[in-house]
Amino acid sequence: FVSTVGLDEEMVREYIQHQEKEDEHYDQLKLGM
């Protein structure tokens, strides 16, 4: 993975945060919450 630091880094950070939220939501669904 190659990127220029700055905008790309921010996009990656937002993507990771989004994925973490998705994972939390999925876990809650699995637990029936």
Side-chain angles (χ1 to χ4, degrees):
F1 182 80
V2 179
S3 74
T4 54
V5 179
L7 181 61
D8 289 347
E9 186 179 351
E10 188 65 29
M11 288 173 63
V12 170
R13 195 172 287 129
E14 286 184 22
Y15 173 78
I16 291 171
Q17 287 177 347
H18 179 74
Q19 287 300 114
E20 287 176 353
K21 288 194 186 108
E22 290 286 312
D23 290 345
E24 286 177 14
H25 183 67
Y26 181 70
D27 287 343
Q28 287 177 355
L29 285 175
K30 279 195 304 184
L31 293 172
M33 295 174 63

